[in-house]
Amino acid sequence: MPARTENMFEYAIDVAAAYIDELGHVNNAIYLKWVQAAVLRHWRGVAPQEAVASYLWVASRHDIRYRNPAFPDDHVVVRVALQKLSGARAFYKTVIQRGDQVLAEVDSCWACISAATKKPVRLAEIIAERFLMPRTQG
């Protein structure tokens, strides 16, 4: 069952044979598909429906560090956390794990665009606030 907080989302995947390349492990491109799925699922889980219909997210940069391979029938967990919002950009950190073993770490930047114009757009402050952890008063 997927888990979600305001700035984090996770989901589990059972590695299918279709994900395996000629080296016998999950193809590197599959990791990026998992990252994209996590980011978009996070957005859809936090944003109001009208915002989901009005804004789209496109990846503008991925920095991925492959640590260990995943193999057929592995059970992996993808955890994505929003690090910050800046203008029309969102910065995410994703960790893909099999048990306690880190398989990959990904820092990515996503651009928010208008569904109507396909141009970059800032999220309204009320929507952006839904993604950020509440600050503690002290």
Side-chain angles (χ1 to χ4, degrees), residues 61-77:
R61 182 183 51 96
H62 294 295
D63 177 20
I64 187 164
R65 288 156 312 282
Y66 298 99
R67 303 287 188 208
N68 293 287
F71 298 102
D73 301 320
D74 277 352
H75 181 76
V76 300
V77 175

Side-chain angles (χ1 to χ4, degrees), residues 16-137:
Y19 301 153
I20 306 304
D21 63 17
E22 64 276 0
L23 299 174
H25 57 70
V26 171
N27 185 279
N28 290 354
I30 298 299
Y31 289 87
L32 294 177
K33 287 183 179 187
W34 293 343
V35 170
Q36 179 173 339
V39 166
L40 295 179
R41 288 176 183 187
H42 174 249
W43 164 245
R44 292 180 192 123
V46 175
Q49 285 300 314
E50 60 273 8
V52 171
S54 299
Y55 302 111
L56 303 171
W57 290 95
V58 295
S60 62
R61 182 183 51 96
H62 294 295
D63 177 20
I64 187 164
R65 288 156 312 282
Y66 298 99
R67 303 287 188 208
N68 293 287
F71 298 102
D73 301 320
D74 277 352
H75 181 76
V76 300
V77 175
V78 179
R79 289 182 181 90
V80 63
L82 177 64
Q83 301 296 297
K84 72 176 183 174
L85 291 171
S86 178
R89 297 175 298 160
F91 297 86
Y92 279 91
K93 170 82 170 189
T94 305
V95 177
I96 301 169
Q97 290 181 256
R98 176 184 50 235
D100 292 335
Q101 186 176 44
V102 174
L103 305 179
E105 296 172 283
V106 184
D107 293 310
S108 57
C109 179
W110 295 78
C112 183
I113 63 173
S114 162
T117 67
K118 307 298 188 271
K119 293 183 180 185
V121 62
R122 286 179 183 254
L123 288 177
E125 189 171 326
I126 193 163
I127 296 169
E129 287 173 355
R130 295 179 90 156
F131 287 86
L132 303 173
M133 294 286 289
R135 296 176 189 243
T136 57
Q137 301 286 329

